[in-house]
Amino acid sequence: MNETVHTAEPLLIERDEVTILFAGDSGDGMQLTGTQFSETSALLGNDINTFPNYPAEIRAPAGTLPGVSGFQIHFGSKPIYTPGDQCDVLVVMNVAALRVNLKSLKKGGMIIANTSGFDEKSLDLAGLKINPLDDESLSGYEVHKVDVSKLTRLALEGTAMGTKEIDRSKNMFVLGMIYWLYNRPLENSIKNIKEKFKKKPELADANLKVLNAGFNFASTLEIFSARYVVKPAKLPSGTYRHITGNEASAIALIAASQKSGLPLYLGSYPITPASDILHELSKHKNFGVRTFQAEDEIAAICAAIGASYGGSLAVTTTSGPGMDLKAEAMGLAVSLELPLVIINVQRGGPSTGLPTKTEQSDLLSALYGRHGESPIPVIAAQSPSDCFHAVYEAASLAVHFMTPVICLTDGYIANSTEPWRFPTAETLTPISVSFEKSRELNDPKFQPYRRDDNLARPWAIPGTKGLEHRVGGLEKEHLSGNISYDGENHELMTRLRAEKVSKIADAIPNAVLDSGADSGKVLVVGWGSTYGAIKTAVTELQEKGNLVSHLHLRHLNPLPNGLGEILSQYRYVLVPELNSGQLIKVLREKYLVPAIGYNKVQGLPFTVAELKNKINELLTKEN
């Protein structure tokens, strides 16, 4: 509900949630603008969710439709789980940004347009002959025309900077205007600008001048009839920080390293959108983190396997095509039965596909994408902050069961942000590690493939006295680890490796509903980054009295115990996925349920409206 709380000039209006989309050319600094606004909103106590959406090209053709970069932020005084279906405010730096994003603006919403980006050349690049700011095509919106480029140049008049450098600051003018419009202080961005440009004080000074100019322009010229207030959200008490999924993944690896006492080693090859995990970890040598940027994906994972053999918490990170290249080495890790965390930040495929767009199409690849029978546990994160918990659990399972573990995130949650109430070291589940001890001549001979109750083999550090054993991809003899071509031994080892992974189901929580009654008409089953949209859609339908429940899967191999019993309690099981239907194949095969798929393969997350429409279709179905 929206409520007017003050009628003084300018009108002060309270909103419980707002969505703003900053859009412009890929060189206009929209990602930085959105990030700054998000960070300030998080510091003010709002719950937030963001969605950066940008071209794959480092510098897409300026002014064209493919070159448009956007950053959407949904913030509010209530729990926020998605970046918002449609925005209340659309800030566009040129006509291409307007043309690409107008469909995302609510009817009656506000447009703030940089008029200098609507000249004849810009119209031509965007494929328009008539300026939409001059005809009646935007009559259904509240349009504010501001010559941001000209005002930025005026703010920096007299400086030694060239026009090109000055124009790079125009995103700060927009940020200042939006800060005034939404009653936000400038202090946090002032601090960040000083820090970012501490070695170039002239640039810091320029950006600060433009930021203040934008704020003062909005406050003095009365171009807006109202300002807006979004109060802090009532979040659980604790200390929060603003975090992306990739940052959370990196921090989880450091936490797992510290809790296990194992040195952390990352072998990685840069690939969008996973590279930020490598970048973040490389900043933390103070925790003993070692990062290795290999010459390719194969070298990266093989180096990580070597580090695991040597007793490190070993990790490799990648995205879609990188998983293909790592496939053989993943099989090697299965054969060696060594712990290894493989983080796949999924993106649109196949091949190079859509590097900066999200997708959930690597699930079947994670489950089956290796030669031979080489099962690997697979888990998935559901939100930016949940990347911490998912990656931490992946590390724990890898060590306890002596197996590679795949953790799936995706481009949406990897780059999105939200407030995160981070845990303390004391609240994290311990990760116990026990290396095999050295042996004397009279001790029983070391058996590298002797197994414990989890069917995990001992972790023997090379060079330890009395623990000499063979490694490699050739099949091992049960217990001794000698190379074996015996057919019966191969079948035994194949079954033991599969049974070890299956036993993980007894070590993870049973399946449990996220919300809703334990039986009824519709159950929505999701995994990964669809969590926010499904939760919001289901919650809104439940509030209107609809019998719909929600179950979200973290563990995808093995599936949690009790899942089949839950699925059987509903007339319809709906499985929304950002692929053509991969989890649904697994559920139908294992539980023989006539699940119904709802799929989207556009490089974009689900909107809440899309899911509500589909769920309503089933709720109103008679049979």
Side-chain angles (χ1 to χ4, degrees):
M1 181 180 73
N2 301 319
E3 179 186 0
T4 301
V5 296
H6 186 53
T7 57
E9 292 294 339
L11 196 64
L12 203 56
I13 299 174
E14 184 178 333
R15 302 286 192 206
D16 56 9
E17 59 178 321
V18 173
T19 299
I20 301 175
L21 172 54
F22 299 94
D25 188 73
S26 59
D28 283 337
M30 293 296 94
Q31 303 303 319
L32 177 62
T33 307
T35 301
Q36 287 297 309
F37 191 86
S38 304
E39 193 171 305
T40 297
S41 298
L43 288 171
L44 292 178
N46 294 138
D47 198 4
I48 64 169
N49 195 292
T50 67
F51 180 47
N53 190 8
Y54 48 89
E57 291 82 1
I58 293 172
R59 188 68 176 91
T64 63
L65 301 181
V68 172
S69 173
F71 189 103
Q72 186 162 313
I73 170 174
H74 184 195
F75 60 105
S77 56
K78 65 178 190 178
I80 301 292
Y81 298 105
T82 75
D85 280 10
Q86 290 197 297
C87 56
D88 301 281
V89 180
L90 174 61
V91 179
V92 290
M93 302 300 282
N94 60 27
V95 63
L98 175 69
R99 191 173 175 198
V100 168
N101 292 293
L102 186 59
K103 62 180 182 298
S104 300
L105 182 64
K106 292 176 180 173
K107 292 298 179 189
M110 180 188 296
I111 297 171
I112 300 173
N114 173 24
T115 55
S116 62
F118 286 72
D119 58 12
E120 189 173 337
K121 180 182 177 184
S122 300
L123 290 169
D124 185 53
L125 287 169
L128 292 179
K129 295 188 181 301
I130 300 174
N131 189 341
L133 298 180
D134 296 334
D135 62 17
E136 296 298 316
S137 61
L138 302 178
S139 59
Y141 304 97
E142 179 186 344
V143 180
H144 298 282
K145 306 175 191 176
V146 182
D147 194 338
V148 175
S149 300
K150 179 181 177 183
L151 291 167
T152 299
R153 292 171 189 173
L154 281 174
L156 297 179
E157 200 171 34
T159 66
M161 298 171 66
T163 303
K164 194 173 181 181
E165 285 182 301
I166 289 174
D167 285 349
R168 285 178 182 158
S169 304
K170 61 180 182 287
N171 60 328
M172 290 295 108
F173 192 93
V174 168
L175 183 61
M177 289 173 61
I178 299 298
Y179 274 155
W180 181 88
L181 187 61
Y182 283 93
N183 227 16
R184 319 259 108 172
L186 302 180
E187 282 71 18
N188 181 61
S189 287
I190 291 173
K191 178 174 73 69
N192 288 342
I193 290 169
K194 288 180 177 176
E195 176 64 24
K196 180 179 175 69
F197 297 111
K198 61 184 177 185
K199 294 183 180 178
K200 295 181 178 179
E202 69 283 4
L203 291 182
D205 187 52
N207 278 279
L208 293 176
K209 279 183 179 175
V210 176
L211 178 69
N212 281 290
F215 189 92
N216 294 332
F217 174 80
S219 67
T220 57
L221 292 192
E222 300 179 357
I223 63 170
F224 302 111
S225 58
R227 299 179 77 184
Y228 299 92
V229 173
V230 181
K231 291 183 176 177
K234 294 177 182 176
L235 300 172
S237 61
T239 306
Y240 286 78
R241 62 160 288 181
H242 180 238
I243 198 163
T244 68
N246 276 342
E247 289 171 341
S249 296
I251 295 170
L253 293 170
I254 296 171
S257 167
Q258 295 295 303
K259 291 295 284 186
S260 64
L262 298 172
L264 178 60
Y265 181 94
L266 172 69
S268 186
Y269 180 72
I271 185 170
T272 301
S275 300
D276 284 343
I277 301 176
L278 168 63
H279 300 159
E280 183 65 28
L281 283 176
S282 66
K283 302 174 186 173
H284 297 285
K285 293 178 182 175
N286 55 315
F287 287 113
V289 177
R290 285 173 290 178
T291 54
F292 169 55
Q293 180 177 319
E295 69 269 28
D296 58 37
E297 297 279 5
I298 300 170
I301 186 172
C302 287
I305 291 171
S308 177
Y309 182 54
S312 291
L313 176 60
V315 184
T316 189
T317 53
T318 190
S319 186
M323 283 289 280
D324 307 343
L325 293 169
K326 292 181 191 294
E328 182 182 353
M330 281 191 274
L332 174 63
V334 171
S335 176
L336 293 175
E337 300 193 45
L338 285 170
L340 175 68
V341 177
I342 304 153
I343 302 175
N344 177 10
V345 186
Q346 299 168 97
R347 68 189 206 186
S351 188
T352 309
L354 307 173
T356 58
K357 310 296 180 184
T358 196
E359 206 165 273
Q360 290 184 304
S361 54
D362 291 345
L363 175 58
L364 294 181
S365 167
L367 294 174
Y368 309 116
R370 293 163 295 282
H371 67 280
E373 295 190 18
S374 49
I376 291 181
V378 180
I379 66 178
Q382 66 187 30
S383 69
S385 62
D386 188 56
C387 288
F388 175 88
H389 303 288
V391 170
Y392 187 87
E393 184 176 2
S396 177
L397 291 174
V399 169
H400 288 154
F401 287 86
M402 292 292 286
T403 176
V405 176
I406 295 173
C407 183
L408 297 174
T409 74
D410 63 38
Y412 167 37
I413 56 176
N415 293 319
S416 298
T417 57
E418 65 180 4
W420 178 43
R421 186 178 62 157
F422 53 88
T424 61
E426 295 73 27
T427 61
L428 293 175
T429 306
I431 302 176
S432 60
V433 178
S434 177
F435 292 117
E436 190 74 3
K437 294 179 180 175
S438 61
R439 291 169 184 251
E440 302 298 332
L441 283 176
N442 294 329
D443 289 337
K445 185 176 174 56
F446 174 57
Q447 294 180 314
Y449 281 83
R450 170 180 51 81
R451 297 172 188 277
D452 64 13
D453 293 342
N454 289 329
L455 298 183
R457 78 175 187 91
W459 198 350
I461 303 300
T464 306
K465 184 179 179 183
L467 303 187
E468 296 81 4
H469 63 286
R470 291 179 176 82
V471 293
L474 291 171
E475 184 63 282
K476 309 296 182 300
E477 184 182 67
H478 178 51
L479 298 178
S480 73
N482 294 332
I483 294 171
S484 172
Y485 287 89
D486 178 75
E488 291 186 359
N489 175 75
H490 175 56
E491 181 167 336
L492 173 65
M493 293 296 278
T494 300
R495 293 185 186 280
L496 283 173
R497 288 189 289 260
E499 187 181 349
K500 179 174 69 169
V501 173
S502 297
K503 285 177 73 67
I504 292 176
D506 298 326
I508 60 177
N510 286 356
V512 62
L513 292 174
D514 183 82
S515 67
D518 55 10
S519 63
K521 192 165 186 178
V522 177
L523 172 67
V524 185
V525 180
W527 68 278
S529 68
T530 56
Y531 177 79
I534 295 175
K535 184 169 183 67
T536 304
V538 169
T539 301
E540 290 180 5
L541 289 168
Q542 288 171 344
E543 288 171 351
K544 292 183 178 179
N546 292 290
L547 292 175
V548 54
S549 301
H550 175 202
L551 186 151
H552 215 76
L553 290 170
R554 175 189 296 288
H555 305 95
L556 298 161
N557 186 41
L559 290 164
N561 292 328
L563 178 59
E565 290 78 2
I566 292 177
L567 298 178
S568 67
Q569 299 303 310
Y570 298 86
R571 185 181 301 177
Y572 301 113
V573 175
L574 178 67
V575 185
E577 295 181 84
L578 298 175
N579 56 44
S580 297
Q582 300 195 12
L583 175 64
I584 198 169
K585 287 183 170 67
V586 178
L587 297 180
R588 284 172 174 167
E589 178 194 49
K590 185 172 179 65
Y591 302 107
L592 303 178
V593 291
I596 300 165
Y598 184 57
N599 307 98
K600 181 175 181 179
V601 195
Q602 301 171 15
L604 295 169
F606 283 116
T607 67
V608 174
E610 288 169 339
L611 292 172
K612 286 173 70 175
N613 288 339
K614 184 61 183 177
I615 297 169
N616 269 322
E617 183 184 307
L618 297 176
L619 286 169
T620 55
K621 203 171 181 179
E622 293 189 0
N623 296 311

